[in-house]
Amino acid sequence: MNSYSRLKKEGIEIIEKLNTLKVNNIAINVASKLCLAFPEHNLNKSDLFESLSRLNMYIAKMPADSTGAKYFYKNNSVYFNENIDMKNLSTMAIHECIHFIQELRDSNNNLTKMGLYSPTSDTGLGLNEATVQLMASEANMSNLSSETYFNISLNTISPDYYPLQCALVNQISYFTGTYPLYHSALNSNDVFKNTFILKTDKKTYSTIIKNLDKLIFLENNLNYFSVELKYANKPSSIKLLGKFIKKIKNNITLLFFSTQNLIIEKCFKSEFNNIRNLKDIKEFNKKIYNFKNIIGYSDNYTFYNEFYRKMMNAIEQKELYIKQYGEINLFEDINNSLILVDNTKTTFSFINTFISKLKKLLGLNKSAENINN
């Protein structure tokens, strides 16, 4: 499928191509902000500008349920929605230009990886989009704002794009640091993956990556059916779509908290098991207490507070042990009561079958799964 056919399939209609001056202005703006925001990654401003200035950039009509911009790797082009607030163009341009920087291609010019996303296995899209958006928002010096999505209240620097995914990835980077995360995003390697697995385990990493992808899948379907609801005229269709939209929103909320709870449990248990002395205990207490500032809440959310109390009880036991016997040697077998073992299983049921059945009932032909892909 050629580029024109692909654009037409995705509902993108070019209005105008940005001239060289506008492209160069965006390129120098993006290059300058990235180098200023992330000096530790040794980005070269001149090289970045030269590379980004070769991108084709367009103003285009885009589907109502699409984001503000899209990078199309097939022809190295960026498309900005005609309705985008020009004040937000900077952040969106940074986001899409980072996608261009991320590209890793084989000898046949086929895309093999894009930052933290693997096209061959189609995994890591949620992680990559959230990471790129965090970088774009940070580079644009966006301010924190308090927002509520699907009854989830949180503080975010990205209120309009991937806020839930950004919140979860920000929680992960609380334990890994942002350096390995951004390093892998820019260089398409496994530095972040290996770092996070060392902090937790392979199963936890895999589960969180899949959950972030599922969040995007659910949000895309929510956008799709919300658009369908606008044009529905049969009472039965309106009722069914409304019921289904409510269920998707509920599943998004459940998945977010399920993932957040997994991050809290696995990461803090790992941190607890690595405590050796009283200094470590002091740092742990500070770390788990401050974590409350970056999590999402709802009226019925209690997991963090309950987990916090349990950890404080465990910390008290460990502190008494250290005071009595001295620093813990992590390579020796110590009292089992001082080691936290995970034996819980996180499960989440999804609604793919229901989506297919609903679409058949309504006679819809569009594939919800392909929206925004």
Side-chain angles (χ1 to χ4, degrees), residues 212-354:
L212 289 168
D213 286 345
K214 289 171 183 175
L215 268 177
I216 285 187
F217 170 79
L218 287 172
E219 290 173 349
N220 285 346
N221 276 289
L222 178 62
N223 291 336
Y224 171 77
F225 287 110
S226 295
V227 172
E228 292 296 331
L229 182 60
K230 290 182 180 179
Y231 298 100
N233 48 32
K234 293 181 180 180
S236 59
S237 296
I238 294 172
K239 183 178 180 181
L240 193 56
L241 281 166
K243 182 178 179 180
F244 187 55
I245 287 171
K246 182 179 179 181
K247 186 168 185 177
I248 294 178
K249 289 180 178 180
N250 183 57
N251 276 276
I252 289 174
T253 301
L254 290 174
L255 181 56
F256 175 87
F257 283 121
S258 172
T259 308
Q260 176 173 280
N261 294 348
L262 183 62
I263 293 170
I264 291 171
E265 182 175 20
K266 294 293 185 177
C267 292
F268 277 115
K269 282 186 176 180
S270 176
E271 297 262 327
F272 175 88
N273 289 337
N274 286 322
I275 289 175
R276 298 183 300 112
N277 50 48
L278 296 178
K279 180 182 178 181
D280 291 344
I281 286 179
K282 184 177 180 180
E283 292 176 353
F284 178 90
N285 287 341
K286 181 179 179 181
K287 193 167 189 176
I288 193 171
Y289 178 78
N290 288 334
F291 195 74
K292 65 182 175 60
N293 298 319
I294 63 171
I295 65 175
Y297 290 94
S298 70
D299 291 340
N300 300 318
Y301 182 70
T302 61
F303 181 88
Y304 169 77
N305 289 336
E306 292 172 357
F307 182 82
Y308 181 85
R309 286 194 293 269
K310 291 177 182 177
M311 293 306 296
M312 289 302 98
N313 290 333
I315 278 290
E316 185 177 351
Q317 293 181 37
K318 206 161 196 177
E319 186 174 7
L320 289 173
Y321 181 93
I322 293 173
K323 287 180 177 179
Q324 184 173 358
Y325 299 104
E327 184 169 301
I328 296 172
N329 186 337
L330 297 179
F331 297 99
E332 293 180 357
D333 183 22
I334 63 172
N335 191 323
N336 287 335
S337 65
L338 303 179
I339 295 292
L340 297 179
V341 180
D342 293 307
N343 54 17
T344 58
K345 294 183 179 179
T346 303
T347 59
F348 193 85
S349 177
F350 284 93
I351 48 182
N352 299 23
T353 303
F354 190 36

Side-chain angles (χ1 to χ4, degrees), residues 34-35 38-45 47-48 179 183 186:
L34 288 178
C35 290
F38 312 110
E40 67 276 18
H41 294 285
N42 299 316
L43 298 171
N44 186 288
K45 183 177 175 180
D47 291 344
L48 271 181
Y179 181 83
H183 185 275
L186 291 169

Side-chain angles (χ1 to χ4, degrees), residues 140-236:
N140 208 40
M141 295 185 288
S142 301
N143 296 318
L144 274 174
S145 63
S146 298
E147 307 288 344
T148 300
Y149 311 90
F150 313 108
N151 297 317
I152 303 168
S153 298
L154 49 79
N155 295 320
T156 178
I157 59 172
S158 179
D160 299 319
Y161 305 101
Y162 306 110
L164 299 184
Q165 291 87 344
C166 285
L168 293 171
V169 173
N170 186 47
Q171 291 172 23
I172 294 171
S173 69
Y174 188 79
F175 299 95
T176 64
T178 58
Y179 181 83
L181 180 66
Y182 294 168
H183 185 275
S184 288
L186 291 169
N187 298 283
S188 296
N189 58 37
D190 290 334
V191 171
F192 168 74
K193 176 182 178 180
N194 295 334
T195 302
F196 188 60
I197 288 175
L198 283 174
K199 293 285 183 178
T200 54
D201 52 67
K202 289 183 179 180
K203 184 178 180 181
T204 299
Y205 174 82
S206 177
T207 300
I208 291 174
I209 298 307
K210 290 177 181 177
N211 286 358
L212 289 168
D213 286 345
K214 289 171 183 175
L215 268 177
I216 285 187
F217 170 79
L218 287 172
E219 290 173 349
N220 285 346
N221 276 289
L222 178 62
N223 291 336
Y224 171 77
F225 287 110
S226 295
V227 172
E228 292 296 331
L229 182 60
K230 290 182 180 179
Y231 298 100
N233 48 32
K234 293 181 180 180
S236 59

Side-chain angles (χ1 to χ4, degrees), residues 51-75:
S51 182
L52 294 174
S53 63
R54 298 194 185 114
L55 280 171
N56 298 308
M57 299 186 187
Y58 301 89
I59 301 296
K61 292 182 179 179
M62 302 176 76
D65 55 357
S66 65
T67 56
K70 183 177 181 67
Y71 171 65
F72 192 37
Y73 71 89
K74 295 285 187 180
N75 59 0

